[in-house]
Each structure stands twice: as C-alpha cells, then as structure tokens.
Amino acid sequence: VKADFSSLSLRQHALVGVSGGRDSVALLHALAENGYRRLIVCHLNHGLRGRASGEDARFVARLARRLGFPCETGRANVRREAREHALSLELAARNARHRFFAQMARKHRCRTVILGHHAEDQAETVLFNLLRGSGLAGLAGMAAESVLTIPPANRRQRPLALRIVRPLLGVRREAIDTYLQSRRLRHREDASNASAEHTRNALRHTLLPMAEKLLERPVVPALLRTAAIVREEASWLASLCPATEPETLCAPELRSQPVAQQRRRLLNWLRAHGVPHAGFEEVERVRSLLDPAHVAKVNLPGGRHARRREKRLFVQ
Amino acid sequence: VKADFSSLSLRQHALVGVSGGRDSVALLHALAENGYRRLIVCHLNHGLRGRASGEDARFVARLARRLGFPCETGRANVRREAREHALSLELAARNARHRFFAQMARKHRCRTVILGHHAEDQAETVLFNLLRGSGLAGLAGMAAESVLTIPPANRRQRPLALRIVRPLLGVRREAIDTYLQSRRLRHREDASNASAEHTRNALRHTLLPMAEKLLERPVVPALLRTAAIVREEASWLASLCPATEPETLCAPELRSQPVAQQRRRLLNWLRAHGVPHAGFEEVERVRSLLDPAHVAKVNLPGGRHARRREKRLFVQ
C-alpha cells in the first residue's frame, strides 16, 4: 500500500487503533513492514456486535502478539451511553473511542494516535458532511495529520491534545484489499463499530455507487480533490481570524468585516463562552444583533442568551 | 411564492428567460403580479424536443402576449453544436443560451436577465459540483445576483457583462407548484432543455431522494445552507487576492503565501494568460515550479507551458 508515513518517526511511541477489520489490519502490517517497532495496539470493544465483539478483541490481541506489539483492550457500552446521553450511536461510539485513546495516551505517555481511515472513508465523510449542511470544516474531510483535543474527564485532569495521523488517507480501498491478499493476511469481517455507522455504510454502499453511475465517472477522486482544495482554503481563513476573541465584541467593527469573517469569529466566540451546540443557526442569530435596528437580545441553547448593549456583544 | 425581488427595480428593463416550464411560468406571473411591466420575455428553442419544441415556443409567445410583454424567440441546434465542438449537450445548451441572451441584451440595450432557478436547482448544483470535484466556487452554487461575462462573438464586439438575477433561488419547488395551482396557471411539462440535463435530472429524481432516505432528514435545506456558507467564504477569499496579476510572478513571494492563496492566484494568472481549461490539475502543476528543487518547466493545455527562470514564473 502506498501509505504516507512521512510524519511518523521510527523512534516515536505511537498508539495504533486496530478494530481487526481490513483497514486497520493492513495499517498495522504496513507499519510493521516499514520498521515501526514502538507501537501500542489499542482495541476498543464497543459492545455492539454481541459475541463477535469478543472474538474481534481476541483476534486483535493475537495479531499484536505475533507482530511483537503490546496490546491494550478497552470495553464500552456504546448503546447504553447513547441512550443515557441522548446521542446517536455513531457519536456515542466516537466519544468512547476518544476517552479510550486519552486513557491509553496518559498511561503510555504517548501523544500520537495512528488510525486506518482510507480514501473511501474520506470521500464518504465529505459527502456526508455536505448532505448535513456543513461548512468548510466539514467539507475539508479528515486531515492526514491533525490535533484532537480531548476534554478532561474529571477536575484533576487537563485537556489532552492528541496528534492524529492517518497514513492511509490517500489509499483506495481496492489497494488495501490487494495488499491483504498479496500477503495472505486475515482480518475480521465487519469488525469495527459497523452497526454504529449505519448511515455511513449506506452512503458507501448505495449512494456513492449510484452517484458514479449517474455521473459516469469516478466520484471518490473528485471528493478527495474537493477535500484537498477546501482544507487549504479553510486553514487560510482560520489563520485570518484571531486565535482568541475578547470577552465582549465590538458590533460596528465586526459588522464592517466580511460576512464569512463575522461568522467564523462569532462561532469561535460562542464556543469560547461554552455555549453548547453552537452552530450556523446560533451564529446567524447572534449576527442579527449587529444590525442596530434589530432587537438587542437573542436566545441561545442551554438557556444562555446574547445581547447587544452600547455597541458591544455579550453572552449571558 | 416568496420570491426575492429586492434587487429588481420596477422601472428597470429586464430580460426574463422563459422555457414554458413550471418554474419560469411561475416566475413570469409573479413578476407581473408584483408590478413589473418593462420585461422582455426571451425563449430559446434548443431544438432538442422535436415537435414539442415548437409548441413550447408558441405557448410562451401566447403567455407573453396575454401578460402584455414583448416576446423574443431564438433557435439553436444544440445537438449539432455539441457534436461539432465536442461538448456535452448540457454545455452546448448553456453556450447557446448565453449567446441568445447576449444578442437580446444588445438588441434591447438591457443588461439584466431574470432566471427561474429555485431551491432544488441550487441543491442539485451544489451536490453535482461536489461530485465533480469542484472547489469553493462550485460548492457556493448559484448566486441570487451575479455577473455573467459573455465573450465577444466577433472582433467588433466587446465582452458583455450581464447581471443575472434569480428571485426564486430560495423558493422550494413545492411552493412553486402550490402557486401555480392556486392561480390555475398552465405550463408546459418538461419544457426546457430536459434531455440536455440528463445527469442533473437523475440527480434530482434519484440521488437526492435516496440521500434524504438514508440520512432520515431533509437534504435540500442542508445543501442550501452549505451553499450560503461557502458563498461568503469564497467571496472573502476572492477579495484577498489581487484583482489582476502581473505578467510574471515572483516564485519566492508566492511560495511564502498560504497554499489556498497560491492556488487562487495561479488560477487567475493562468486564466488571464488565456490558458484553456485551466483548473486544479494545471494549477498544481504550475505550483510545483515554486519548489526550486523541482524541474523548471511544466506543460499546460493548448501547447502552452509554464517556466521558472531567475525565481520568476512565466507562461509561454
């Protein structure tokens, strides 16, 4: 596989997320083949596949042992967490994975996590985000290298910044299959949190193939190209906004800026104020305060509100 | 219909594109109802629907007469043009429409063209552009008001800048249907260049409904929201690039800028040099010249090439 390991030094400790499915098995083998020795295999049992879940975990443990890597296995009850916190299965599964990686990162004093997302995953992410009405951050898809900040689990902890590396992001699924076959590597079918990713699987198996048929051309490379363009545009725009916003904002100053800049700054500002679920709707509501003729107070989620007083914006 | 006529003055002359299909019929009626009198109905027969084409044209002429507007009818042979210039039917049809509007704009000394694109058209455009691998310009979809520059048809002409206004861009198809029914307005089924827009119709009738089913939520509003966000981001980015680039570019200066800025500037530069079909691939090829360790010459379409010499980039 033409994986991109350029940002991973051989001497560095790193966690590798291994579900036991084809992508993560290929990733782990490719890392081993390329001389990476200081890896810790991390497998989270999402508790979503009944008995098969336990078999996935044992498969991964054996694989790690054979390749000479230590293996950490965690357990979560994603279905229960989803119910209790009123989250989608997909979101609950992601939270559980983040928590697990944070725990392992602390235990092994290691800040790098290597994941097996590949080109089709990226294409799906971009399409999924578009269909959900995402802005540039979503349309940029995943980055080959990014920083994931995990909030503290308790009062003694500080937020944890993990470096996420995705060496297979430019690799097509077909190439992964060929790699596995050429080395006669076994993997678990449908390992991973398959049932938690119902919508995304449907996108992959029905919507993308249908789009290719309609357009009579390959759609995955097109989606990857869009992601590559948008990622750079988004990072340029982000660099044009202040890293931190003041406690209150000057309405006339903000109003004089491009709409896109207003939106980005207000989103950062609402998030810094801890407004929950701040998104496009909330930003647009606050943006309406910039008009001196408009009402001076708007509601925000979580019982908060934003107010304009003496030409400045406040969150209360 | 909650059409947005805010950018159209009642006293202004304007061309209205009327195919005879539901959208343009609703548009024309809504304009008449809102007191617009100085309109010129423009209908282009694309020659794609056989006998039905002629009936569309007569239908539009009668409609215009009844509402008291002058009517201009043009003819094109889109199929032949597509064949002769090796274009898709869709592109040939668009070129023919542009030529027709340019001709009418000159004849009537009128620079505004009103078109009937609605919310579903916009959603489709955004999705279609994403699946083709478009950058921000494509993901922004159509603008409610934009400028279309039409190249001269001969040496005596100058390029023509038409103001395109789309009052129905925020109106859902369903609302248009309700409007037509409530006023018992007739329209031609499948008028317009239906067969030239095969792919887009397929997107509308199969891909969008399937996406809504998979995501279990309305997809059209999400796509409109993405378009609205992206449009502002794109216009901010465009405002950050010089309106015109010099004949040659300074490689180290360009290299010091964000990748997205490099890409935008190089695209403008290639287009200003008249490089045909300049797009992402061409831009990336020229961008590789910014690396002093890379070859100093790359090929461009149309037998052109770009070269780096003494730290400057040239098009030859």
Side-chain angles (χ1 to χ4, degrees), chain B residues 212-265:
Chain B
E212 298 220 321
K213 215 171 123 193
L214 290 182
L215 270 78
E216 295 171 1
R217 70 176 108 181
V219 156
V220 170
L223 291 168
L224 297 183
R225 188 164 97 166
T226 296
I229 297 174
V230 169
R231 192 162 331 108
E232 293 298 337
E233 304 264 19
S235 101
W236 184 18
L237 287 173
S239 76
L240 296 167
C241 291
T244 53
E245 293 289 349
E247 180 73 16
T248 68
L249 298 176
C250 170
E253 181 216 333
L254 202 58
R255 207 181 171 196
S256 72
Q257 295 180 337
V259 171
Q261 195 170 11
Q262 294 172 18
R263 286 180 177 150
R264 282 179 174 263
R265 291 190 57 192

Side-chain angles (χ1 to χ4, degrees), chain A residues 131 134 225-226 233 236-237 264, chain B residues 133-134 222 226 233 237 264:
Chain A
L131 295 173
S134 162
R225 189 166 97 166
T226 296
E233 305 263 22
W236 183 20
L237 288 173
R264 284 182 173 260
Chain B
S134 161
T226 296
E233 304 264 19
L237 287 173
R264 282 179 174 263

Side-chain angles (χ1 to χ4, degrees), chain B residues 94-102 105-106 110-113 115 117 143 145-151 158-166:
Chain B
R94 197 174 65 182
N95 289 348
R97 282 196 297 276
H98 287 183
R99 247 183 0 250
F100 175 57
F101 282 126
R106 289 200 166 92
C110 167
R111 294 295 175 261
T112 299
V113 179
L115 298 177
H117 295 110
E145 189 175 349
S146 58
V147 173
L148 173 69
T149 305
I150 297 183
R158 302 207 302 171
L160 185 69
L162 295 179
R163 183 169 76 113
I164 308 291
V165 182
R166 297 180 171 94

Side-chain angles (χ1 to χ4, degrees), chain A:
Chain A
V1 277
K2 280 172 66 186
D4 178 6
F5 295 131
S6 59
S7 66
L8 291 169
S9 114
L10 286 174
R11 280 166 309 167
Q12 196 170 42
H13 271 287
L15 310 176
V16 191
V18 181
S19 66
R22 71 185 66 219
D23 310 331
S24 57
V25 166
L27 171 67
L28 191 63
H29 275 280
L31 284 163
E33 261 183 23
N34 281 271
Y36 290 90
R37 291 289 164 264
R38 311 184 71 175
L39 305 177
I40 298 127
V41 171
C42 295
H43 175 85
L44 180 66
N45 180 341
H46 291 73
L48 286 171
R49 308 210 313 130
R51 264 185 54 184
S53 284
E55 289 165 25
D56 291 346
R58 283 188 293 279
F59 173 85
V60 170
R62 276 198 307 275
L63 173 64
R65 200 177 322 124
R66 219 173 52 240
L67 292 170
F69 298 124
C71 181
E72 294 277 7
T73 307
R75 270 196 83 91
N77 190 331
V78 167
R79 224 180 290 279
R80 194 178 61 205
E81 287 179 41
R83 208 170 40 234
E84 285 177 1
H85 303 284
L87 298 172
S88 68
L89 271 186
E90 189 175 356
L91 202 54
R94 196 175 66 182
N95 289 348
R97 282 196 297 276
H98 287 181
R99 249 184 358 252
F100 175 57
F101 282 127
Q103 199 186 336
M104 293 303 115
R106 289 200 166 91
K107 175 171 171 188
H108 293 278
R109 300 177 178 280
C110 168
R111 294 295 176 262
T112 299
V113 179
I114 311 176
L115 298 177
H117 295 112
H118 55 65
E120 268 79 1
D121 290 325
Q122 176 77 316
E124 241 169 70
T125 301
V126 173
L127 183 57
F128 187 48
N129 287 337
L130 176 79
L131 295 173
R132 291 196 300 183
S134 162
L136 293 205
L139 296 175
M142 299 175 275
E145 191 175 348
S146 59
V147 173
L148 174 68
T149 304
I150 297 184
N154 56 52
R155 292 186 130 219
R156 293 193 319 270
Q157 283 182 0
R158 302 207 301 172
L160 186 69
L162 295 179
R163 183 169 74 113
I164 308 290
V165 182
R166 297 180 171 94
L168 303 185
L169 207 54
V171 180
R172 295 295 298 262
R173 158 100 180 222
E174 216 186 322
I176 292 177
D177 281 340
T178 308
Y179 174 81
L180 291 170
Q181 279 158 22
S182 72
R183 282 159 179 77
R184 298 172 185 277
L185 297 176
R186 286 173 52 229
H187 60 84
R188 297 279 297 166
E189 270 321 322
D190 271 332
S192 88
N193 44 338
S195 53
E197 296 188 336
H198 169 71
T199 310
R200 303 190 49 137
N201 277 322
L203 273 186
R204 174 182 307 195
H205 295 300
T206 60
L207 205 65
L208 277 177
M210 176 179 265
E212 298 218 322
K213 215 170 122 194
L214 290 182
L215 270 80
E216 295 172 359
R217 70 176 108 180
V219 155
V220 172
L223 291 168
L224 298 182
R225 189 166 97 166
T226 296
I229 297 173
V230 170
R231 191 162 332 108
E232 294 297 338
E233 305 263 22
S235 99
W236 183 20
L237 288 173
S239 76
L240 296 169
C241 290
T244 55
E245 292 290 349
E247 180 72 18
T248 66
L249 297 177
C250 170
E253 182 216 334
L254 203 56
R255 205 177 171 203
S256 72
Q257 296 179 337
V259 171
Q261 195 169 11
Q262 296 172 14
R263 287 182 176 150
R264 284 182 173 260
R265 290 190 58 191
L266 286 174
L267 187 61
N268 291 344
W269 183 67
L270 289 176
R271 286 185 176 156
H273 276 286
V275 172
H277 313 297
F280 184 70
E281 304 300 337
E282 290 70 34
V283 164
E284 287 302 279
R285 226 174 292 149
V286 177
R287 221 161 61 75
S288 71
L289 295 177
L290 298 180
D291 178 358
H294 192 265
V295 293
K297 182 182 163 190
V298 295
N299 294 325
L300 292 173
R304 314 283 295 271
H305 42 263
R307 193 186 280 282
R308 182 190 66 239
R309 198 163 44 209
E310 288 168 8
K311 298 190 179 174
R312 293 198 75 82
L313 302 187
F314 299 79
V315 169
Q316 286 168 325

